[in-house]
Amino acid sequence: MEIISGRELSSEIRDELKRENELEGIRPVLAIINVGDDKANLLYIGLKQNAMSHIGGQAEVAMLDWKVSRHELLAKIEAFNHHPGVHGILLQLPLSPELEPHREELLAAIRPDKDVDGFTPFNRGALLGGRPYYVSCVAQAAMEMIERCRGEVKGCTALLAGDSFDLIQPLTLLLMRAGAEVTVLPEWREDIVTDCQVVVVEKGGWNCVRPEQLSVDCLLIDNGYYFDPTGKLSGNVDKDTMLGSELRGWLVPNPGGLGPLLVTRLVRSVHQAARSIKD
């Protein structure tokens, strides 16, 4: 199988966005709201800051104490909603255990035209009608991989294993709208054998996907997050096993696949918002 690098593709896209911003004299600004000091959240925020800087923009991070109240967080969101210099707003997930039950309310407070993550109930619902302001960045990243590798999506067969609101659900709608034949399963199983041209595996387990379960020329996108016995980040797919098989398709691995492209799709959305926000 051919390995598709999200890092290489991301670098190309970010360089192009940087040139456009320099040419037009535009400086996109992303507001990131974070609650607490979760190490994974801080890592992801750093990646987003670096990406915004790369394209000539800025990420303004509001670091809130984990004891912040729902009303205080809503007030911070509202302040960014009305800030004329902020083009996109991102509420870093997951939230604290106290705020997590209010997640939908908090996401709904973000202006839909500044919701560059595509997570507000408005944009998720508007996707059904085909007219959201923004679509989940990881779903966009997966769709871009599919279009680049498979070319024509219409008539393509796809199997998606998972149930997430940020990848599986929006990607299902995007593929259906493009004319693909889509099957969705809650998770990957060891008895699955598929001849689908696109396979996206989010849930199933560490190294759960075997070469003999797949079509010889499929595009396999791995979005599983596990730690192997040595503590190393891994996905649903063992890359070495796939490379040693007779499969002739493509593998988008994890790590190094959708992750970098997800962040790039985010900054592209902020790039777009900087050209369309009317305050």
Side-chain angles (χ1 to χ4, degrees):
M1 298 188 88
E2 178 183 351
I3 301 297
I4 305 299
S5 172
R7 294 189 178 95
E8 292 179 7
L9 179 55
S10 292
S11 180
E12 295 174 11
I13 296 172
R14 293 180 192 185
D15 288 345
E16 179 183 348
L17 297 178
K18 179 180 179 180
R19 287 192 294 269
E20 291 179 4
N21 286 327
E22 289 176 345
L23 182 64
E24 300 175 41
I26 295 177
R27 189 165 184 256
V29 176
L30 169 66
I32 302 175
I33 304 172
N34 182 67
V35 177
D37 57 358
D38 181 84
K39 291 183 178 179
N41 277 4
L42 298 179
L43 172 63
Y44 297 142
I45 288 171
L47 295 174
K48 294 163 186 175
Q49 287 178 298
N50 291 339
M52 287 299 302
S53 178
H54 184 102
I55 70 166
Q58 175 189 350
E60 180 178 337
V61 183
M63 299 294 295
L64 305 181
D65 187 87
W66 67 274
K67 293 182 179 179
V68 67
S69 71
R70 177 173 61 91
H71 295 294
E72 290 171 318
L73 184 48
L74 286 169
K76 177 60 70 174
I77 293 172
E78 192 63 12
F80 283 135
N81 279 339
H82 294 289
H83 194 307
V86 169
H87 306 110
I89 302 171
L90 183 156
L91 180 60
Q92 188 68 42
L93 302 176
L95 297 167
S96 65
E98 291 76 17
L99 291 172
E100 190 61 32
H102 306 287
R103 184 177 68 174
E104 288 299 303
E105 176 191 4
L106 294 165
L107 289 173
I110 299 173
R111 269 176 55 170
D113 59 341
K114 290 190 176 185
D115 170 34
V116 288
D117 243 349
F119 283 178
T120 65
F122 178 93
N123 280 326
R124 281 151 48 200
L127 181 58
L128 288 169
R131 297 184 64 85
Y133 284 100
Y134 298 101
V135 177
S136 165
C137 300
V138 66
Q140 290 184 66
M143 196 68 180
E144 183 155 349
M145 290 290 192
I146 293 168
E147 292 171 341
R148 283 176 177 263
C149 292
R150 301 261 27 146
E152 179 62 54
V153 177
K154 185 176 182 180
C156 182
T157 56
L159 173 64
L160 280 54
D163 58 4
S164 62
F165 85 102
D166 59 335
L167 174 59
I168 300 300
Q169 294 178 24
L171 181 58
T172 298
L173 292 172
L174 291 174
L175 286 169
M176 290 174 62
R177 188 164 294 115
E181 180 182 322
V182 186
T183 301
V184 181
L185 301 174
E187 63 180 359
W188 189 262
R189 302 190 310 268
E190 63 178 14
D191 64 335
I192 291 174
V193 177
T194 177
D195 60 358
C196 284
Q197 297 163 301
V198 174
V199 176
V200 181
V201 185
E202 179 185 64
K203 289 186 176 182
W206 175 56
N207 291 350
C208 64
V209 184
R210 305 188 309 276
E212 62 269 23
Q213 295 178 283
L214 305 170
S215 169
V216 69
D217 64 347
C218 79
L219 165 62
L220 174 59
I221 299 178
D222 184 2
N223 199 52
Y225 285 84
Y226 312 95
F227 290 95
D228 68 16
T230 68
K232 183 180 178 181
L233 177 64
S234 184
N236 296 292
V237 179
D238 179 31
K239 184 166 63 174
D240 292 336
T241 299
M242 289 297 168
L243 289 176
S245 72
E246 296 182 357
L247 297 176
R248 300 191 303 268
W250 306 266
L251 170 63
V252 179
N254 189 46
L258 284 189
L261 190 54
L262 180 163
V263 176
T264 297
R265 293 301 311 211
L266 171 66
V267 298
R268 178 185 277 177
S269 292
V270 185
H271 176 88
Q272 176 186 337
R275 288 154 172 77
S276 60
I277 289 292
K278 299 291 188 290
D279 283 294

